[in-house]
Amino acid sequence: MEGAAERGVLPVLVVLAVLAACGSSSEIIEGPKNVTALKGSEARFNCTISQGWKLVMWALRGTVVLSMTPNETIITSDRFTSASYQEGGNFISEMIIHDVQLSDAGQVKCSLQNSNRDGAAFLSVQVMGQLLIPGGSLVVIEDKPCNVTCRALNWTLLPDLSWEIGVPVSHSSYYSIPEPEDLQSAVSVLALTPQGNGTVTCVAEMKGLDVRESVTVNLTVVQPPLESSYQSQIRKSATVKTSKDTAGTKLKSANENYGYHSDESRTTQPASLHAKSSEAGVPEQCSSRQPHQESDHRQLGPANHPQVSFYVASPKKVRNVTLV
């Protein structure tokens, strides 16, 4: 009896071994990898499985969203679709998440029926914010240093900011820093000394993504403002005063007839100059409007321009001066 029992148990053990072998014939060879995606874009995850599988399940944040059998695909939402491939005798299951949302960020898991092993990855979702150069097109002075500012606003992960310079310059450099009170914004400042017209472009590149955003503005270079007529008049008045001082020196060096005496006191008032000038400093920020240039033909008024006055007494006697 004992021998018969042993003979009956042996076939059962063989069947169990065969079933165990069938159940373990399929396994996950390589699970999905971490993915970073932009909001509104697609995210793809691959899971490589050996032959003999019966059911593949994809879960997002702990909820099964997609299932596959060798004969059909069970879809719970149009946002989750699948694709499959054969590679080297293995089966590759791909899950595609369409129109990725911020709420999708989390764990993605690929698993098999009756298997304790699964493959897991993480989905990160980023939002591309705004990129702008305040002021639009810029007007700058030739060979005068100025700054151009670029701002990246409302990015979930701050991008790398850089510049592309499409104008001739004698010097250029830039630096980028996060906004101190806004962790989702940054600013980049380009310092340059322009020598001609062209464009400058601020470029934002997202870390971990092949995504590039840029903004371009035109840069117009003008000559330094001409000197005003007010400044020109100051120089002319100074020249007139210098000429009269020279003429007075020559008269003093002549031989004067000291026998002459005047019966009337002479009242004269020397010429007077009233001048005020100022120099405009170089602004750190490039101007978005045309620099003001004063006209050389502006009419001079009596209140704020140099005055030259001469008062000569009416002579009753003739004063003789002999020049040698």
Side-chain angles (χ1 to χ4, degrees), residues 130-150:
Q130 294 178 296
L131 188 68
L132 55 92
I133 298 178
S137 297
L138 305 174
V139 177
V140 297
I141 299 176
E142 184 179 7
D143 283 330
K144 289 290 186 180
C146 69
N147 295 339
V148 183
T149 300
C150 177

Side-chain angles (χ1 to χ4, degrees), residues 58 66-68 73 75 80-84 93-96:
W58 285 96
L66 185 67
S67 301
M68 297 178 62
T73 300
I75 298 176
F80 304 94
T81 61
S82 68
S84 60
S93 174
E94 181 179 47
M95 181 182 69
I96 307 168

Side-chain angles (χ1 to χ4, degrees), residues 25-26 49-57 66-74 82-86 91-93 111-113:
S25 63
S26 179
I49 305 166
S50 62
Q51 294 293 337
W53 61 277
K54 301 300 182 183
L55 178 66
V56 178
M57 295 174 289
L66 185 67
S67 301
M68 297 178 62
T69 70
N71 298 321
E72 65 177 339
T73 300
I74 303 172
S82 68
S84 60
Y85 317 92
Q86 295 289 336
F91 175 78
I92 299 178
S93 174
S111 62
L112 300 176
Q113 184 184 33

Side-chain angles (χ1 to χ4, degrees), residues 151-155 158-159 161 177-180 182-187:
R151 297 188 181 278
L153 306 176
N154 302 320
W155 296 65
L158 291 181
L161 297 176
I177 57 173
E179 292 281 11
D182 186 353
L183 297 180
Q184 295 185 336
S185 300
V187 60

Side-chain angles (χ1 to χ4, degrees), residues 231-252:
Q231 294 170 323
S232 300
Q233 186 65 29
I234 292 177
R235 287 195 300 272
K236 292 178 181 179
S237 299
T239 302
V240 171
K241 184 177 184 301
T242 302
S243 300
K244 290 187 175 297
D245 289 343
T246 304
T249 302
K250 290 182 178 180
L251 288 175
K252 290 180 181 179

